[in-house]
Amino acid sequence: MKLCPRLSLPPLPLRLHYHPLRTYTTQPPQPSPNPSPSQHNLRHNRLILALTGATGSIYGIRTLETLHSLGIQTHLILSKWAIPTLQYETPQYTIPHLTNLATHAHSPRDLSAPISSGSYPCDGMIIAPCSMKTLAAIRMGYGEDLISRAADVCIKEGRKLVLMVRETPLSVIHLENMVALARLGVVIFPPVPAFYTRPKGVEDVVGHSVARMLDCCGVRVDSSYTDSDVGGVMMGEGRWVGWRK
């Protein structure tokens, strides 16, 4: 029997579909002119940061800015609805600006990204803000997109996962989802403002919540530890030490 010659096809391109958030940034962000000391609690100096469509985009933006200032590598994921929320709540921040702050940026549909595998070394993940839809997907192990998949990887690998959940009032469904994840070691971190810091404005309120959230990941952000212009979001009287006189 005569065999037909094997059909020779040109090699497939590395990426079939271009997406501005799928490819890595072509130019890595420049290091801070005054780099802070190394983060001894981070083994790989690498965190995943995801923003969803819940209100509170500024928390994710401030977190990204702080991690960039501290010289910590970031893998950024913006969900489908995170982008219109960003554009509505914080129009002064453009998508290219945010992706340039990140070390790597991924499309939420790119499940071939390295952070979707447990073999890729990473110190943990922050989702800020975290919608109730994303919370439910993580609780059920439904890794339909890169955000829920990366979170699932953090859980199964025993890595730190912090969810800045944004919803009020909370239904029994929401609370049960949070309880189930908390029992697995996930940090449920609603952005509750602390007024003992005597904040001077929204910026102080946001900064304190971001600092407390990064505390949960082992990132040191105290102004006494870092330069005041390099990630020092925990400023002044940010930590409770008792009544002030």
Side-chain angles (χ1 to χ4, degrees):
M1 182 174 66
K2 186 177 180 180
L3 298 177
C4 297
R6 189 172 182 178
L7 181 63
S8 178
L9 297 175
L12 293 174
L14 181 60
R15 287 179 169 83
L16 299 177
H17 303 286
Y18 173 76
H19 190 286
L21 294 179
R22 180 174 184 175
T23 57
Y24 290 162
T25 53
T26 55
Q27 295 294 330
Q30 296 298 319
S32 171
N34 299 309
S36 61
S38 59
Q39 297 286 333
H40 302 294
N41 295 326
L42 299 184
R43 180 181 177 187
H44 307 288
N45 200 48
R46 182 181 299 125
L47 290 171
I48 304 168
L49 174 63
L51 281 71
T52 68
T55 184
S57 300
I58 190 61
Y59 288 105
I61 295 172
R62 190 72 187 278
T63 303
L64 179 61
E65 290 176 336
T66 304
L67 294 175
H68 171 65
S69 297
L70 292 171
I72 298 173
Q73 297 180 36
T74 51
H75 285 259
L76 176 66
I77 317 168
L78 302 179
S79 74
K80 173 184 176 182
W81 285 103
I83 295 177
T85 303
L86 276 165
Q87 293 171 338
Y88 184 80
E89 293 185 348
T90 54
Q92 68 273 30
Y93 294 98
T94 64
I95 303 302
H97 171 72
L98 297 181
T99 56
N100 189 51
L101 287 176
T103 312
H104 304 289
H106 306 279
S107 164
R109 308 305 302 176
D110 188 7
L111 290 176
S112 66
I115 55 176
S116 67
S117 172
S119 64
Y120 185 73
C122 185
D123 292 295
M125 180 176 185
I126 296 171
I127 305 180
C130 179
S131 66
M132 293 299 100
K133 175 184 176 183
T134 300
L135 173 76
I138 297 171
R139 186 262 172 102
M140 298 304 297
Y142 185 54
E144 181 199 19
D145 61 10
L146 185 57
I147 295 177
S148 54
R149 170 57 188 171
D152 188 61
V153 167
C154 286
I155 293 174
K156 77 182 185 71
E157 297 292 330
R159 299 168 184 167
K160 184 67 69 174
L161 175 61
V162 180
L163 307 182
M164 182 177 268
V165 291
R166 264 296 301 122
E167 186 60 271
T168 189
L170 296 168
S171 71
V172 174
I173 296 174
H174 301 152
L175 294 170
E176 287 181 345
N177 287 339
M178 293 180 198
V179 169
L181 289 175
R183 286 172 176 161
L184 297 176
V186 177
V187 177
I188 305 298
F189 191 99
V192 179
F195 293 102
Y196 62 81
T197 62
R198 300 179 182 176
K200 297 179 176 63
V202 175
E203 187 72 14
D204 288 349
V205 173
V206 172
H208 186 265
S209 290
V210 169
R212 292 285 291 110
M213 181 172 60
L214 292 176
D215 273 346
C216 297
C217 295
V219 178
R220 301 180 68 178
V221 292
D222 292 271
S223 56
S224 59
Y225 173 76
T226 64
D227 184 84
S228 59
D229 295 326
V230 183
V233 291
M234 182 68 83
M235 304 294 289
E237 300 292 336
R239 299 196 185 279
W240 178 253
V241 294
W243 299 114
R244 279 185 274 172
K245 297 182 178 180

